[in-house]
Amino acid sequence: AQSVAQPEDQVNVAEGNPLTVKCTYSVSGNPYLFWYVQYPNRGLQFLLKYITGDNLVKGSYGFEAEFNKSQTSFHLKKPSALVSDSALYFCAVRDLNTGGFKTIFGAGTRLFVKA
Amino acid sequence: SAVISQKPSRDICQRGTSLTIQCQVDSQVTMMFWYRQQPGQSLTLIATANQGSEATYESGFVIDKFPISRPNLTFSTLTVSNMSPEDSSIYLCSVTDSFQETQYFGPGTRLLVL
């Protein structure tokens, strides 16, 4: 069965510092991996995805994520955090071989960027 | 990406009543999904709705409690029936893109059951 883990409930960083939000996954086949962001009282916004190809994917708002197959990780990163990046971030995975179109979401990590 | 709207955006309901949530997409899509996000928690898939067929429900969700309609390729409804306070959640509609890779989400419907 597919699963995704976000080991940190909360991440605190200072504005201008790099940020990392961690995600690990478990699938039996090839994964589709996604990051979404949820601002207060808003729906989920798509940030980026890994389907195939280059392990480093770039997305919206300066975010990027690196697919690491050996560590089954897909950590979200940004070189310089902004206060406006403060939000709830969800990692998600879909197992192409067994999961069909079903996407599993992690528990979410709340990011606080302090000015 | 698809533009998705939901109605109502929020509601406060009495236990025992039912609420129907509407989801409208600005383009034709094959697959639509309904998720629940309980307070402080992640998203849980309720069901997948394809036009012209019965919705497929995930474990723990049943049609009698969450009936779904999908009359065409741009619209779906989710009804939360015989509500209890435990149904207080955000309900999110989602669709996949034309490549059926990425899911996009509506703004959600915030439901509070008293």
Side-chain angles (χ1 to χ4, degrees):
Chain A
Q2 59 198 52
S3 65
V4 57
Q6 294 180 243
E8 303 155 314
D9 292 336
Q10 183 171 311
V11 170
N12 298 311
V13 297
E15 188 173 36
N17 283 2
L19 71 86
T20 298
V21 183
K22 296 180 180 178
C23 172
T24 59
Y25 67 90
S26 174
V27 297
S28 59
N30 295 317
Y32 278 7
L33 294 158
F34 306 86
W35 276 101
Y36 290 85
V37 60
Q38 187 176 36
Y39 297 100
N41 300 313
R42 303 276 294 277
L44 271 70
Q45 295 182 31
F46 168 72
L47 275 181
L48 50 80
K49 66 182 177 186
Y50 171 81
I51 303 298
T52 187
D54 194 349
N55 288 345
L56 183 65
V57 293
K58 296 185 182 295
S60 307
Y61 312 121
F63 283 94
E64 60 188 29
E66 185 167 12
F67 170 61
N68 188 318
K69 188 173 183 178
S70 62
Q71 296 185 4
T72 61
S73 67
F74 190 57
H75 302 329
L76 180 70
K77 300 182 180 183
K78 187 173 182 179
S80 179
L82 300 172
V83 172
S84 58
D85 292 330
S86 298
L88 185 59
Y89 290 81
F90 290 98
C91 181
V93 65
R94 187 192 309 164
D95 184 340
L96 297 181
N97 290 11
T98 63
F101 294 102
K102 182 176 179 178
T103 303
I104 301 298
F105 287 80
T109 298
R110 192 165 296 279
L111 173 66
F112 286 101
V113 181
K114 186 175 181 181
Chain B
S1 63
V3 177
I4 306 168
S5 60
Q6 289 184 231
K7 291 181 181 180
S9 59
R10 59 179 63 229
D11 208 342
I12 301 174
C13 301
Q14 298 297 319
R15 70 170 65 214
T17 63
S18 298
L19 176 71
T20 295
I21 302 168
Q22 299 179 6
C23 177
Q24 180 75 53
V25 189
D26 69 341
S27 58
Q28 294 184 339
V29 294
T30 303
M31 306 184 74
M32 296 181 78
F33 306 86
W34 286 99
Y35 284 84
R36 181 173 73 182
Q37 185 180 19
Q38 294 182 302
Q41 297 189 27
S42 186
L43 281 73
T44 301
L45 180 64
I46 297 172
T48 302
N50 293 331
Q51 195 266 337
S53 63
E54 293 287 329
T56 302
Y57 289 83
E58 296 298 309
S59 176
F61 298 96
V62 295
I63 188 171
D64 290 345
K65 175 68 175 177
F66 297 101
I68 289 171
S69 77
R70 182 80 201 273
N72 58 52
L73 291 174
T74 64
F75 187 79
S76 178
T77 67
L78 170 75
T79 299
V80 186
S81 303
N82 188 25
M83 288 184 285
S84 66
E86 291 72 34
D87 294 320
S88 298
S89 288
I90 301 173
Y91 291 86
L92 294 153
C93 172
S94 174
V95 304
T96 52
D97 63 11
S98 57
F99 298 101
Q100 297 185 343
E101 290 178 349
T102 303
Q103 284 187 248
Y104 296 96
F105 288 82
T109 296
R110 290 180 173 271
L111 172 62
L112 176 63
V113 184
L114 302 177

